[in-house]
């Protein structure tokens, strides 16, 4: 069971070994090496973004696949037909507790984060629609926590959020495809690994976001720079911001798969509110 890819396959195996036992066995075998690499990565410095090469991004992506599998049991079931990345209700038979999930990630050196509402730190899972269409978003409940690796965001928290319809539309935000995501139980996903073979899919780069120097940096390894710049087949600047910051549409009722890999880096002042 070498590396995160081995752990991922072990978690999806058809045997009856509980997930916590699979995780503990992997930590005993590979956890020390993985934690050492993660600690070194977290300690890197940049100007301001720390460097990362292709191999680094592949390694982080493999760990993110494990993280995404572990959160399936925390998600409500909402089957989406004929869309990639949506897991059938009976496809995950090894659920774990939130405390066990957090324990595994902290054992590898990740830090649990608790913050007020921000699309940087929070993935919308359920929306409580306010009667006031302009009510700002707020977190009602956390289904699983967010984790960082140094200043880098590793995984967002899954949350129940309350907001007015002009801020976050329940019908859109709960069901629109989630970008930079491999699998979810409650919605379809769009991931660069989809459509590739069993080996090629693991050559997918992890999307890096950073909280540095009072600013939030989204999608720092994008091939182009500056959301809202350039022609993206009719995708407006507002829609680009929704995809980059929320990783899904939250007010725009469109389901076509946009040219999302062309989206650029967005830098926002952490002291300012992020739409919505």
């Amino acid at each position: 069971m070498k590396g995160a890819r081995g752990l991922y396959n072990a978690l999806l195996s058809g045997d009856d070994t509980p997930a916590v036992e699979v995780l503990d066995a992997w930590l005993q075998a590979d956890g020390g090496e993985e934690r050492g690499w993660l600690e070194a990565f977290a300690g890197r410095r940049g100007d301001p973004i720390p460097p990362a090469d292709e191999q680094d991004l592949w390694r982080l992506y493999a760990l993110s696949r494990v993280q995404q599998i572990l959160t399936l049991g925390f998600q409500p079931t909402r089957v989406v037909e004929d869309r990639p990345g949506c897991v059938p209700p009976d496809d995950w038979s090894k659920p774990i507790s939130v405390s066990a999930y957090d324990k595994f990630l902290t054992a590898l050196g990740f830090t649990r984060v608790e913050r007020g509402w921000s699309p940087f730190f929070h993935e919308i899972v359920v929306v409580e629609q306010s009667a006031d269409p302009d009510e700002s978003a707020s977190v009602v409940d956390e289904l699983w926590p967010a984790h960082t690796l140094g200043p880098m965001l590793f995984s967002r928290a899954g949350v129940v959020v309350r907001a007015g319809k002009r801020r976050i539309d329940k019908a859109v935000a709960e069901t629109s495809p989630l970008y930079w995501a491999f699998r979810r139980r409650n919605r379809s996903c769009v991931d660069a690994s989809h459509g590739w073979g069993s080996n090629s899919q693991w050559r997918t780069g992890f999307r890096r976001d950073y909280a540095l120097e009072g600013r939030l940096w989204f999608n720092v390894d994008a091939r182009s720079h500056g959301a809202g710049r350039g022609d993206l087949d009719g995708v407006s600047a507002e829609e680009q911001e929704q995809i980059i910051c929320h990783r899904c549409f939250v007010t725009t009722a469109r389901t076509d798969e946009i040219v999302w890999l062309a989206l650029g880096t967005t830098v926002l002042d952490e002291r300012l509110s992020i739409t919505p």
Side-chain angles (χ1 to χ4, degrees), residues 227-242:
R229 300 175 188 172
D231 182 8
L232 287 178
D233 295 336
V235 183
S236 70
E238 180 184 357
E239 289 170 338
Q240 290 180 51
E241 182 176 313
Q242 288 183 40

Side-chain angles (χ1 to χ4, degrees), residues 13-205:
S13 68
D15 64 37
D16 296 327
T17 307
V20 289
E21 294 184 15
V22 176
L23 296 175
D24 287 344
W26 184 83
L27 285 172
Q28 289 283 334
D30 295 342
E33 177 183 345
E34 201 71 13
R35 182 184 175 100
W37 179 79
L38 289 167
E39 287 180 345
F41 186 90
R44 294 181 188 178
R45 297 293 179 264
D47 185 28
I49 305 299
D53 62 24
E54 196 173 55
Q55 297 284 340
D56 296 326
L57 299 181
W58 292 348
R59 193 165 181 173
L60 288 168
Y61 175 77
L63 279 169
S64 77
R65 286 272 287 262
V66 171
Q67 176 271 327
Q68 291 181 69
I69 286 295
L70 294 177
T71 64
L72 290 178
F74 310 141
Q75 299 163 19
T77 299
R78 189 186 300 113
V79 178
V80 181
E81 300 293 341
D82 300 323
R83 297 290 297 184
C86 191
V87 181
D90 59 352
D91 193 51
W92 175 237
S93 59
K94 297 181 179 181
I96 64 172
S97 66
V98 171
S99 60
Y101 167 77
D102 178 59
K103 181 180 178 181
F104 170 71
L105 290 179
T106 55
L108 287 173
F110 295 101
T111 301
R112 181 170 179 166
V113 178
E114 296 183 8
R115 299 286 295 268
W117 161 254
S118 167
F120 184 89
F121 290 105
H122 298 123
E123 174 183 319
I124 297 171
V125 182
V126 177
V127 178
E128 290 187 3
Q129 199 77 82
S130 170
D132 178 359
D134 293 313
E135 181 176 324
S136 297
S138 60
V139 175
V140 175
D141 191 21
E142 182 182 86
L143 305 179
W144 68 87
H147 288 84
T148 57
L149 182 66
M152 186 191 77
L153 176 70
F154 177 67
S155 56
R156 298 189 298 171
V159 296
V160 179
V161 64
R162 176 181 172 85
K165 189 172 183 178
R166 291 196 186 102
R167 304 283 187 163
I168 297 177
D169 187 330
K170 177 180 177 69
V172 175
E174 286 187 352
T175 60
S176 62
L178 190 65
Y179 288 77
W180 293 280
F182 179 70
R183 302 181 78 171
R184 292 295 186 275
R185 180 170 254 170
N186 62 312
R187 68 198 308 162
S188 61
C189 298
V190 182
D191 189 76
S193 68
H194 290 163
W196 292 93
S198 58
N199 288 319
S200 299
Q201 64 183 274
W202 295 95
R203 297 298 184 259
T204 299

